[in-house]
Amino acid sequence: MLSIEGIERLVEPVFEQLGLVLHGAELRREGRALVLRFVVDKGDKGATGTGVTVDELARASEEVGALLDLENPIDDRYRLTIESPGIERELSNWRQMRYAVGERVRVVTRGEESRVVEGDLTCADDESRRIEVLTDAGAESIDFADVKSARTVYLWENETGQKRKF
């Protein structure tokens, strides 16, 4: 049986060919069932202004399912699930952080002087492994190793144009 990283490497070219980006993968038991879950989004998120569609998820499921049937990387029976990351999502690895550049984020740092930083993620530098968040008070540079948790934040607008988060 391949590791989850090996399975990611196996299927990633299929997602790329379909214009999708793999955000994450997991193989775990849910009750009695073994579930292989992939989270994907548009490869070029700015091109359409929308996330991945149901039709794209269905096509990805067919293509990836066919590849997995052919390669048989998992010894046990499992259920394949391919889903969207959602409008607000956890950013748990560097790839997800890089993809979120341009979006509003909420970052919690670790350590004795932990803090919460919320604003627009303007940079995720591969070389230094630092992110930059533009807050109302100015730009904050954070070492990715100091990030305890991070997620995207969506500001909802009501009929008056007033923005608020949930």
Side-chain angles (χ1 to χ4, degrees), residues 100-120:
V101 168
E103 295 184 59
R104 186 163 190 87
V105 296
R106 181 176 191 265
V107 178
V108 178
T109 63
R110 64 178 87 243
E112 288 182 23
E113 297 187 25
S114 68
R115 63 192 196 282
V116 177
V117 179
E118 186 172 318
D120 296 326

Side-chain angles (χ1 to χ4, degrees), residues 115 130-133 139-143:
R115 63 192 196 282
R130 294 186 73 79
I131 61 171
E132 187 170 288
V133 180
E140 292 226 22
S141 180
I142 304 167
D143 189 314

